[in-house]
Amino acid sequence: MATYTTNQFKGGLKLMLDGEPYSIVENEFVKPGKGQAFNRVKLRNLKTGKVLDRTFKSGESVEAADVLETELQYLFNDGEHWYFMDTETFDQVAAGKAAMGGAEKWIKEQDICNVTLWNGEPLQVDPPSFVELQVTQTDPGVRGDTSSGGSKPATVETGAVVRVPLFLEEGEVIKIDTRKGEYVGRVKD
Amino acid sequence: MSENWRPAASLATLRARAELMDAVRRFFRERGLLEVETPLLSAAAGTDPNLEPLHTRYEGPEAPSDGLLYLHTSPEFPMKRLLAAGSGPVWQISRVFRGGERGPRHNPEFTMLEWYRPGWDHRALMVEVAELVAAVAGPRPVRERTHAEAFASLGVDPHRDDAAALDAAARANGVTPPDGLERDALLDLLFSHAVAPELGHGRIEFVHDFPAEQAALARVREGDPPVAERFECYLDGMEIANGFHELADAAEQRRRFVADQQRRRARGQPVPPVDERLLAALQAGLPDCAGVALGLDRLFMVALGARRIDEVLAFPLERA
């Protein structure tokens, strides 16, 4: 079992606490001149996202969390799980809705996603930062309509809705920044 | 190429630091204390289980049998030997070294100001500490509280509560104690997490009369409960100084050294040799005196509005 001592603590280190995987957000060394040294640590639960404070005795060892970030290819969704594959080993994993965290709005089959695995199970799925998706539904833009700030909603092939400029038409392919959920530009063929 | 060749502190801060250093020197010169220098390296070391001395190896004439020389964690022992030799009041600025200590307020090598006042007790020395702080970091109102008073708002009696009660008090105050803490460590946990951060905001704050088990090198005043004649000074939630009405009883000092060594052995820590020269000096007669060790880097942090010790050091650990 791999362990870390408090001397190795730093932001981003992954630990096991009470059987759950955590990532260190902040680590502070606290010591009275004539007293016991402690590490006051802020940790994020990698399954629930909840942040908690924990104090360790300096020098104490803590079990390392077997967490791995890897790039996997999205295969399909069966209504409950989203399936991903390692393109070298062909190993497959299934991510539930909590791990998807909204990533499902942006991805198409064969897209490569950044997947955080703990004991081989997906904890978090990040879509590519930019995706190119076809507009499946949008109303025709009305020239001179400024009440909507020069934009209108458009539904793309994955079902997500983004605001696009008035000139865009159904069938066009657009580039989207998934971190902000925003239209970036039109993709010319 | 590493960018870490540059100083962590700005040059403006280093200039301001040099001026603050002058203010400290002026303070002691004007008061007529004798400036002294004592060795950084010694074959003996402090035994406090919560202070880890660094050591180095000396080979050559007069080397100790194991070749080990310890870097001092404070110049306390040789300064007391000077007092026992009749030096009168002494002061010193020195670099001290502590293993395992690195964080926003800690660097393993830092600058300590230490001074001793024969004929004074810890309460009298607290007044002078406040004057020094005012001379360096500007005047602030002073508040003094006993250790028990500082704990009162947490519903804790630091002299009498047992480990279970302290554990419960920590939880009630939002701090989950790590497993296996002894009573002393639980008091340290509560103090460092819940008491200290509230001390010394807009004022110079002293905490004095510690539980007898936390006497370190202070004398214990009999009473119910007995209290250690020890104080700490706080500014902006940060410990700046620790002082004692100094223990002068050689037999009691030896008993505490041996108890520390046993505790170190039990915890699997290195066990440095007891300083027999200090004990001989106490035997010969240490004048009744009070002494204090003050972390100058932290005082300068307060004076300059710095939040991290690195802001006042040219080259902290990672750049040293």
Side-chain angles (χ1 to χ4, degrees), chain A:
Chain A
M1 181 180 81
T3 60
Y4 297 116
T5 78
T6 58
N7 291 336
Q8 295 168 287
F9 281 13
K10 59 176 183 193
L13 196 74
K14 313 280 195 303
L15 304 174
M16 291 299 298
L17 285 182
D18 314 322
E20 304 259 289
Y22 284 84
S23 173
I24 292 181
V25 180
E26 265 175 49
N27 167 47
E28 190 186 2
F29 177 78
V30 185
K31 183 183 183 299
K34 300 268 175 199
Q36 171 71 49
F38 298 103
N39 286 65
R40 274 184 98 157
V41 185
K42 225 180 242 321
L43 302 126
R44 181 184 299 108
N45 185 313
L46 290 172
K47 282 164 80 176
T48 64
K50 278 196 186 127
V51 173
L52 63 78
D53 293 305
R54 249 314 162 84
T55 294
F56 298 86
K57 217 163 114 177
S58 294
E60 203 176 330
S61 288
V62 187
E63 189 186 342
D66 183 15
V67 170
L68 174 76
E69 273 185 42
T70 182
E71 299 209 313
L72 300 179
Q73 185 180 50
Y74 171 51
L75 297 178
F76 64 93
N77 162 237
D78 66 3
E80 191 181 354
H81 288 99
W82 285 258
Y83 292 83
F84 294 85
M85 181 179 73
D86 184 318
T87 54
E88 282 173 22
T89 63
F90 304 109
D91 287 342
Q92 288 186 24
V93 296
K97 195 155 179 78
M100 292 304 291
E104 69 276 11
K105 282 196 308 191
W106 306 116
I107 57 175
K108 282 193 306 182
E109 287 154 22
Q110 292 178 25
D111 279 350
I112 301 293
C113 295
N114 200 352
V115 181
T116 307
L117 297 172
W118 169 56
N119 289 342
E121 248 181 79
L123 282 176
Q124 190 184 324
V125 175
D126 294 311
S129 300
F130 295 97
V131 292
E132 293 179 0
L133 297 170
Q134 190 173 36
V135 176
T136 51
Q137 193 281 318
T138 190
D139 294 331
V142 179
R143 195 182 294 274
D145 174 9
T146 54
S147 64
S148 54
S151 71
K152 61 179 181 175
T155 306
V156 295
E157 56 188 307
T158 55
V161 177
V162 289
R163 294 204 70 85
V164 299
L166 297 175
F167 59 77
L168 272 169
E169 291 169 18
E170 285 179 11
E172 288 192 275
V173 177
I174 59 171
K175 186 174 180 181
I176 299 166
D177 181 340
T178 61
R179 294 161 300 189
K180 299 179 188 160
E182 280 174 11
Y183 166 86
V184 179
R186 184 153 52 158
V187 180
K188 309 239 166 63
D189 28 34

